[in-house]
Amino acid sequence: KTSIGRGCCKVSKKQKRISKLASFCFVLTEILVLAAVLILQATDVVEIEKWLQMIIIIILSIHVLMQLWELKVFIKPDSGEKFSLTVQGSHERKKSRHQKTMYGVTVSDEVRVDYDRNSEGILVYFRKVTSSSNTGPYCQPFLLPFRGWFTFFHVIIVLTLMICTLILYTYYSDYNYYAFPSLSFPDPLVLPILIFVSLILQIPVVVSSYYKAEDCGFCIPTGIAYTRWFKHTNAYTEMIQQNIQAKHGQRLQQEGEQLELAIRRNTQQTQVNDVTYHDVGPQTAKRYEDQIVLLHLLLAQEHDQAC
């Protein structure tokens, strides 16, 4: 029995199964609603503008492609996925860089190294291993499995349907029941209602796709990229974690509290070659690294004893 941690909650195998079923039901209903719009258009009962027709076709194609891929994974799971057993400490180091450019010239350059306190504390888990470790931050989402993009695709569909609903509602408000530009139907509200129903159905699809996802991420041409590798835990990782806590829990807790105090005291700002650095001192950084090394040594000991 494997649970997948998402930072704020863990999803059990049962919850994941329910999410898959809910996602399939809502997607199937949404496909039927959007297909009904195209059928009404094909039978000349309703006249839809070309842009809306293309959007509906694209959304249907994406839904069908994702469902076929889900079916493929269900029939033949990916046997090439690899996981490594690892452990997280009381804090997580995150490095980021922000550059501001004006008229082709960098006017500010800031590098931040944050040490965030882990809400779970000491945690033993399995981490998915990727084939490449030298990929830049912007290209990290491309290391995800294809299913890792599904949540992002569903969010894009929600935003698209929301915009279409607003446009259709604006058309209806402007023209009321006369000269409605996208619909020659006795009741011009039918088209906005069908698109709105599709939007309502898509919202739980987004939630359920996130709950059943094993990893997720995206990148857009503006330079924004996000990759989230979820933490996989099961009975074995819980046993190893309990053994470490039982033997060294008090010591690790004290070390975490002392590290938190050192981070608060020693966070400083320096400027080198017009680049502003926000980081802790070398002693605090060394203390963080020593904690990680110690945890991995304890993990290796417990793993060897269990095997």
Side-chain angles (χ1 to χ4, degrees):
K1 184 178 179 180
T2 302
S3 299
I4 302 174
R6 285 157 170 75
C8 58
C9 61
K10 291 183 179 180
V11 180
S12 65
K13 191 173 182 179
K14 182 180 179 181
Q15 292 172 323
K16 187 178 177 181
R17 192 183 304 117
I18 294 174
S19 298
K20 287 183 177 180
L21 179 61
S23 177
F24 175 76
C25 293
F26 282 112
V27 167
L28 180 60
T29 307
E30 182 183 345
I31 288 175
L32 293 176
V33 172
L34 293 176
V37 176
L38 295 180
I39 292 173
L40 291 175
Q41 190 267 342
T43 56
D44 295 328
V45 176
V46 60
E47 183 179 349
I48 306 175
E49 291 186 359
K50 287 293 183 181
W51 63 268
L52 183 57
Q53 181 182 1
M54 290 301 302
I55 287 176
I56 293 175
I57 293 174
I58 292 173
I59 290 176
L60 286 173
S61 301
I62 293 175
H63 274 315
V64 171
L65 177 61
M66 288 191 290
Q67 293 306 309
L68 289 176
W69 191 266
E70 291 282 6
L71 180 62
K72 175 259 180 189
V73 173
F74 177 77
I75 296 175
K76 187 179 179 181
D78 185 7
S79 59
E81 290 185 338
K82 297 180 181 179
F83 294 84
S84 66
L85 184 65
T86 186
V87 60
Q88 73 174 19
S90 59
H91 294 73
E92 182 179 3
R93 179 161 56 189
K94 296 181 179 179
K95 186 175 180 179
S96 59
R97 185 166 189 164
H98 303 279
Q99 288 183 323
K100 185 177 181 181
T101 304
M102 187 176 295
Y103 303 109
V105 179
T106 302
V107 294
S108 65
D109 194 351
E110 181 181 27
V111 177
R112 294 189 62 90
V113 181
D114 296 317
Y115 294 80
D116 297 336
R117 189 96 185 232
N118 289 317
S119 58
E120 306 102 333
I122 306 299
L123 179 67
V124 178
Y125 63 97
F126 286 105
R127 180 179 58 189
K128 190 173 292 186
V129 179
T130 61
S131 58
S132 175
S133 59
N134 298 322
T135 307
Y138 182 74
C139 296
Q140 282 290 325
F142 295 103
L143 298 178
L144 289 167
F146 184 47
R147 296 171 71 193
W149 286 78
F150 284 8
T151 303
F152 173 65
F153 293 156
H154 286 306
V155 171
I156 293 298
I157 291 175
V158 160
L159 296 177
T160 303
L161 291 173
M162 190 179 300
I163 294 172
C164 292
T165 302
L166 291 175
I167 292 175
L168 293 175
Y169 178 77
T170 302
Y171 282 169
Y172 170 76
S173 301
D174 291 344
Y175 292 90
N176 202 2
Y177 285 84
Y178 304 99
F180 193 77
S182 300
L183 187 64
S184 57
F185 196 76
D187 188 353
L189 269 178
V190 169
L191 183 59
I193 288 175
L194 290 176
I195 300 299
F196 181 72
V197 169
S198 301
L199 171 62
I200 297 301
L201 292 170
Q202 181 62 26
I203 292 175
V205 172
V206 174
V207 178
S208 59
S209 68
Y210 177 75
Y211 264 84
K212 70 178 183 178
E214 296 184 356
D215 309 288
C216 68
F218 68 90
C219 65
I220 54 180
T222 56
I224 299 175
Y226 173 82
T227 309
R228 183 74 179 272
W229 301 97
F230 293 138
K231 300 168 184 176
H232 302 251
T233 59
N234 57 17
Y236 180 75
T237 61
E238 292 175 0
M239 180 192 70
I240 297 295
Q241 181 175 329
Q242 290 173 0
N243 292 342
I244 294 176
Q245 292 283 10
K247 297 177 182 178
H248 313 280
Q250 185 175 0
R251 174 189 172 188
L252 294 174
Q253 183 178 359
Q254 292 177 352
E255 175 60 27
E257 293 174 353
Q258 293 173 2
L259 179 59
E260 174 69 15
L261 183 61
I263 291 171
R264 292 180 180 179
R265 287 180 176 177
N266 299 324
T267 300
Q268 55 190 359
Q269 176 178 323
T270 58
Q271 192 162 2
V272 180
N273 297 329
D274 297 329
V275 180
T276 304
Y277 292 88
H278 297 268
D279 198 354
V280 298
Q283 291 183 347
T284 305
K286 180 68 165 51
R287 189 168 192 168
Y288 166 81
E289 294 169 357
D290 289 343
Q291 183 197 68
I292 299 299
V293 172
L294 172 63
L295 285 171
H296 279 84
L297 288 175
L298 297 177
L299 174 64
Q301 292 176 3
E302 293 299 328
H303 177 64
D304 291 340
Q305 292 177 8
C307 295

